Amino acid sequence: MPRFGAGEISAGFSHKPVMNGVQRCENGALKNGVIAVEKVHNGGLYKRPFNEAFEETPMIVAVLTYMGYGILTLFGYLRDFLRSWKIEKCHIATERVEQKDFVPLYQDFEDFYTRNLYMRIRDNWNRPVCSVPGERIDLMERFTDDYNWTFKFTGRMIKGVINMGSYNYLGFAQNTGLCADASAQALNQYGVGMCSTRQEIGNMDKHEELEHLVAKFLGVEAAMVYGMGFATNSMNIPALVGKSCLILSDELNHSSLVLGARLSGATIRIFKHNNMQSLEKLLRDAIVQGQPRTHRPWKKILIVVEGIYSMEGSIVRLPEVIALKKKYKAYLYLDEAHSIGALGPNGRGVVDFFGLHPRDVDIMMGTFTKSFGSAGGYIGGSKALIDYLRAHSHSAAYATSMSPPVAQQIISSMKCIMGEDGTIVGQNRVEQLAENTKYFRRRLTEMGFIIYGNGDSPVVPLMLYMPAKIGAFGREMLKRNIGVVVVGFPATPIIESRARFCVSAAHTKEMLDAALREINEVGDLLQLKYSRHHFVPLLDRPFDETTYEESED
């Protein structure tokens, strides 16, 4: 039910010195039925306001959501019974008759959720896009006559759908303009694929140019690029840590980080999302107790966090993480897949957003699939780190190198953001994204929806909660020519289904207003305006041993 509260950290607030520089101040007064959020100052670490809100789930909504899943589960068992007796047609994949005596490849129950819950709302995903994935898209119209088990195309297109779901934060997903022209020229010169790895005969001048540009953009000594963002995490973490090492991972980290941590063989411990008390307790215990059984010191301690969490819309409390990392002599791995290009006055990610020095982060990772309208990922850091990864990373040794037109798209868009193309187009896009984000979030909150995350995050989760409303919201929005992404279990906690909007610099105010009008109408239709504006401060207690003892459960 309730998981988080809301917290604001203000740089200009006076305080008395306390442990770790945190002082709790007085609660704000009740104004217009809204509980004012507490302001907390953490030792001068923050140079700008930091606002995050996670409004607690209303009790009645939580109860009804659990009841909804319970009813769906009961009907699922009933339908499975009817299928087993051939009363209802069975669409489920089954083992072949000649393999009945074999050990089954999968247990039938493992597919229970997919066939009985997911299938009811499957039409909301995998819709075929047949245009440039920009601020507006065209979709192929389809229908089903067997309750979403299969789909057929009508031959018609749904044109001009406002795209509120893709990660095109800066609007570089285009087929016209300087970036597209440069990529087309690279395609003519180099072709599409390299058919080799970087270590063999797949290293090109475009790759070298891109890596130097990425290092300059991030403000680090060196960088290395990869053809796939997911593999950048999953294949490089095992190269950095191994047995007798400790990984401290945020509980909401992306699956690529989770996979990389598991493949590494290191010990993994989880801290509560963005909770510095939980992280410091793990760091302190790790140093005091050492490795299990032997109690020898850990070879390395690696803290793994993300810049923007793509399901929550929250931003990492990076100044505090860096302070703890320095205090306990740990290493920091920062995944900026969603924050690079989308945050900061210069579009250089969460480090730029907080006004920090890039060298305070040991391993800077990010992807080119979002703000740069391309594909692949990167690792940035010291020259020694990058030289080590060139020799030991599986992605470097075994993966085919990045396609030249893809590399050129990144080069062109990154130069545009940096202003090296001789224009201010990139800077204008960064500023427009920030403006659109604040406007869109403010309007949704005013309408009465529960909106998660940070006020500066272009990822905007709108809470739906109930399973039946996941499909209903997606369908109703498409009827109104708005394309949205709806997300439910297991990608989110079971009672926290949501619609996830991604704001883009390419969205005009007219587009946002049109989307907001339809969201407001659908919110009234489906009764989604749950907000009572009752927030509980996230950082409402000082850092001390008593706090740890009280919050262990």
Side-chain angles (χ1 to χ4, degrees):
M1 229 171 37
R3 295 190 303 129
F4 305 106
E8 178 178 335
I9 297 177
S10 176
F13 197 85
S14 61
H15 69 287
K16 298 178 183 178
V18 292
M19 183 173 291
N20 283 355
V22 179
Q23 171 67 34
R24 191 168 72 171
C25 54
E26 297 297 322
N27 282 326
L30 186 67
K31 297 179 181 179
N32 299 325
V34 179
I35 297 179
V37 180
E38 284 186 337
K39 296 184 177 181
V40 185
H41 181 69
N42 194 324
L45 294 176
Y46 289 84
K47 301 175 183 178
R48 55 175 298 157
F50 184 83
N51 304 287
E52 287 204 346
F54 296 90
E55 185 174 344
E56 62 180 357
T57 309
M59 179 65 73
I60 185 63
V61 176
V63 170
L64 291 174
T65 302
Y66 279 121
M67 287 178 59
Y69 276 105
I71 293 169
L72 282 172
T73 302
L74 289 175
F75 273 90
Y77 280 116
L78 175 61
R79 298 190 73 168
D80 279 355
F81 174 79
L82 296 176
R83 289 169 187 143
S84 65
W85 287 91
K86 311 298 182 186
I87 298 173
E88 179 178 328
K89 186 176 181 181
C90 182
H91 298 279
I92 308 164
T94 56
E95 299 285 348
R96 296 189 306 185
V97 176
E98 55 268 30
Q99 291 182 319
K100 286 293 184 184
D101 295 332
F102 285 59
V103 176
L105 288 173
Y106 65 94
Q107 299 297 320
D108 185 57
F109 182 75
E110 292 174 0
D111 202 33
F112 179 86
Y113 177 87
T114 301
R115 64 178 178 264
N116 291 307
L117 280 77
Y118 170 71
M119 280 297 171
R120 293 173 177 266
I121 54 177
R122 182 172 167 238
D123 57 303
N124 285 278
W125 294 280
N126 307 318
R127 291 173 177 146
V129 178
C130 48
S131 68
V132 175
E135 63 277 12
R136 288 187 182 270
I137 53 176
D138 297 336
L139 301 176
M140 294 180 67
E141 189 179 63
R142 60 181 183 172
F143 71 97
T144 178
D145 51 14
D146 55 5
Y147 302 102
N148 290 341
W149 286 94
T150 60
F151 294 98
K152 299 174 183 176
F153 297 109
T154 64
R156 295 189 297 271
M157 286 194 301
I158 307 172
K159 289 184 171 291
V161 176
I162 298 177
N163 183 5
M164 296 299 301
S166 70
Y167 307 132
N168 183 26
Y169 295 129
L170 294 180
F172 282 113
Q174 300 170 303
N175 61 354
T176 58
L178 295 177
C179 294
D181 293 343
S183 297
Q185 185 177 347
L187 177 64
N188 290 330
Q189 182 178 351
Y190 297 99
V192 177
M194 293 308 305
C195 304
S196 182
T197 67
R198 292 283 300 277
Q199 291 188 355
E200 294 170 337
I201 202 167
N203 191 36
M204 305 195 68
D205 57 345
K206 282 296 172 189
H207 299 136
E208 299 283 346
E209 179 186 356
L210 175 57
E211 287 178 343
H212 284 102
L213 186 64
V214 170
K216 182 179 178 182
F217 183 70
L218 298 175
V220 296
E221 291 181 3
M224 186 174 182
V225 298
Y226 303 88
M228 182 182 179
F230 191 97
T232 306
N233 277 332
S234 59
M235 293 291 100
N236 281 298
I237 292 177
L240 295 169
V241 292
K243 191 176 179 182
S244 301
C245 297
L246 175 65
I247 294 176
L248 302 180
S249 177
D250 189 292
E251 65 179 340
L252 297 182
N253 276 344
H254 190 262
S255 59
S256 59
L257 294 168
V258 174
L259 177 60
R262 289 175 176 171
L263 290 174
S264 70
T267 301
I268 305 168
R269 290 177 184 163
I270 309 300
F271 62 91
K272 295 177 182 178
H273 174 57
N274 245 354
N275 188 315
M276 297 302 106
Q277 295 170 312
S278 176
L279 174 58
E280 184 168 14
K281 183 177 188 302
L282 289 178
L283 282 166
R284 187 178 299 171
D285 290 348
I287 290 171
V288 171
Q289 299 176 10
Q291 299 181 43
R293 294 188 296 275
T294 65
H295 298 292
R296 292 175 180 171
W298 297 98
K299 289 183 178 178
K300 300 174 195 170
I301 299 177
L302 182 67
I303 303 169
V304 181
V305 294
E306 293 186 48
I308 293 179
Y309 290 84
S310 61
M311 285 297 171
E312 306 296 317
S314 61
I315 297 174
V316 64
R317 298 178 181 274
L318 191 60
E320 295 175 70
V321 176
I322 290 176
L324 290 175
K325 166 227 162 186
K326 290 180 176 179
K327 179 179 178 181
Y328 293 98
K329 304 298 188 290
Y331 293 99
L332 175 58
Y333 187 109
L334 174 63
D335 178 345
E336 289 215 81
H338 287 268
S339 55
I340 193 67
L343 280 183
N346 303 300
R348 302 192 184 189
V350 69
V351 176
D352 183 32
F353 177 76
F354 287 112
L356 303 172
H357 199 292
R359 293 184 185 179
D360 286 335
V361 180
D362 301 288
I363 304 107
M364 300 184 73
M365 176 272 171
T367 62
F368 304 118
T369 55
K370 298 160 180 78
S371 295
F372 304 97
S374 191
Y378 66 82
I379 295 282
S382 66
K383 188 176 184 303
L385 168 72
I386 301 305
D387 289 344
Y388 174 83
L389 288 177
R390 290 191 195 281
H392 294 85
S393 169
H394 284 75
S395 287
Y398 301 109
T400 302
S401 58
M402 182 183 287
S403 172
V406 169
Q408 182 59 59
Q409 166 70 19
I410 303 165
I411 292 169
S412 301
S413 56
M414 191 171 288
K415 284 184 176 180
C416 183
I417 297 170
M418 297 169 72
E420 292 192 4
D421 62 344
T423 71
I424 59 170
V425 171
Q427 184 63 38
N428 288 343
R429 293 191 185 206
V430 172
E431 294 171 1
Q432 186 64 53
L433 174 62
E435 184 179 327
N436 286 354
T437 295
K438 287 182 172 62
Y439 176 71
F440 191 71
R441 278 183 166 274
R442 177 175 57 81
R443 287 290 307 278
L444 287 177
T445 303
E446 289 171 353
M447 289 175 186
F449 295 103
I450 293 182
I451 304 298
Y452 272 8
N454 193 286
D456 293 293
S457 169
V459 178
V460 187
L462 183 153
M463 304 309 294
L464 304 175
Y465 297 112
M466 301 179 193
K469 293 186 179 181
I470 302 173
F473 186 81
R475 295 182 194 115
E476 289 296 329
M477 291 303 293
L478 187 59
K479 285 180 185 176
R480 293 160 172 79
N481 242 36
I482 311 292
V484 301
V485 171
V486 286
V487 192
F489 179 81
T492 68
I494 195 164
I495 69 160
E496 292 189 12
S497 302
R498 63 199 66 177
R500 185 185 63 183
F501 302 103
C502 292
V503 183
S504 171
H507 290 138
T508 63
K509 188 173 184 297
E510 290 71 27
M511 288 181 188
L512 293 179
D513 285 338
L516 287 164
R517 277 196 307 272
E518 304 302 341
I519 294 168
N520 188 41
E521 182 180 326
V522 174
D524 289 332
L525 178 66
L526 301 180
Q527 298 182 2
L528 297 173
K529 297 179 179 180
Y530 303 116
S531 179
R532 298 170 297 175
H533 299 294
H534 290 176
F535 298 109
V536 179
L538 184 61
L539 295 178
D540 60 349
R541 292 185 297 184
F543 294 68
D544 57 27
E545 292 295 335
T546 306
T547 301
Y548 292 137
E549 294 300 323
E550 290 174 353
S551 62
E552 268 191 341
D553 59 344

